Each structure stands twice: as structure tokens, then as C-alpha cells.
Amino acid sequence: YIPNLVFPKSKYSNYKLGKYGRMRARYLKEYKKAEYAILLIYGKLDEHLYNTDIECKERFELLMKQFAERENITEELKATNQMEWVQKMNAVKNAVEEIIFKELIYI
């Protein structure tokens, strides 16, 4: 006599979550259990993870472009000194991801 509970299908359930959406889901599941349960019960978890993933990707692209311009990382540098370009781009990527993690994922 156990009821067969099924959560409603959302239009976002077919979306394959990216890195940031999966990180947000794991964070909610481990550290914000009540918020995770509420989103799951009301059928809003897929939409929340989708929106987080999309917002993080957009913010990542925008910040990468802005930081690269600020640090003078150009295609000319890439052509003349690849190792320096890779080093600077990795530093920028790490800084941008740290901002995204702090502002959008781990809140």
C-alpha cells in the first residue's frame, strides 16, 4: 500500500546539464538539503538548474572577454608567444571561474 509518487515532467528535464548546473545540483543536495527538497517537490529543480547553467555560461563568456581585454591577451600574443598566452588565459579562466563559483554556484 505504498503510493507510487511521480514528480511532474518539466520542459527542462531533457536538457543535458553542463558543468555549472551539475555543480549547483551537487551543492544543493549536499549543503542546502531543504532548498533542494523544496525545489524537487514543487517541480522547479530542473528549471533552477537549467537557469543556473545558462547564466553561468553567459557570465563566463562575458568575463573571459573582459578580463582578456584588460590583461592585453590578444591573438597577436597567441601567434608570437603561445606559452605566455596559455599561462595568461589559464590565470584568467581560474579567476573567472572563482567569481562564478562564489556568486552563482555556492550561494
Side-chain angles (χ1 to χ4, degrees):
Y1 298 112
I2 298 174
N4 185 12
L5 299 176
V6 178
F7 295 112
K9 280 280 193 186
S10 113
K11 64 181 180 180
Y12 303 102
S13 59
N14 291 333
Y15 176 75
K16 185 168 169 60
L17 285 178
K19 171 184 175 180
Y20 302 113
R22 290 190 312 269
M23 289 176 74
R24 179 69 177 158
R26 185 176 50 213
Y27 175 74
L28 287 173
K29 199 174 211 178
E30 291 178 11
Y31 299 103
K32 303 277 188 164
K33 293 178 183 180
E35 187 176 347
Y36 179 82
I38 290 168
L39 287 169
L40 185 63
I41 289 169
Y42 287 110
K44 300 285 186 184
L45 182 63
D46 290 335
E47 180 180 359
H48 174 74
L49 297 177
Y50 169 81
N51 290 335
T52 301
D53 196 46
I54 296 300
E55 185 177 354
C56 287
K57 287 177 183 177
E58 290 172 355
R59 177 84 59 94
F60 179 82
E61 293 297 322
L62 177 68
L63 289 176
M64 281 295 288
K65 184 178 178 183
Q66 289 175 348
F67 276 47
E69 287 174 4
R70 189 176 73 189
E71 296 292 324
N72 280 337
I73 303 172
T74 61
E75 290 297 316
E76 182 181 325
L77 177 63
K78 184 178 179 181
T80 58
N81 192 346
Q82 278 187 337
M83 290 307 291
E84 183 181 352
W85 181 85
V86 168
Q87 181 183 15
K88 286 184 175 187
M89 286 301 285
N90 283 338
V92 166
K93 179 181 177 240
N94 290 335
V96 167
E97 282 195 332
E98 196 64 36
I99 291 169
I100 289 172
F101 295 158
K102 186 174 182 177
E103 292 180 358
L104 299 172
I105 303 293
Y106 303 130
I107 56 168

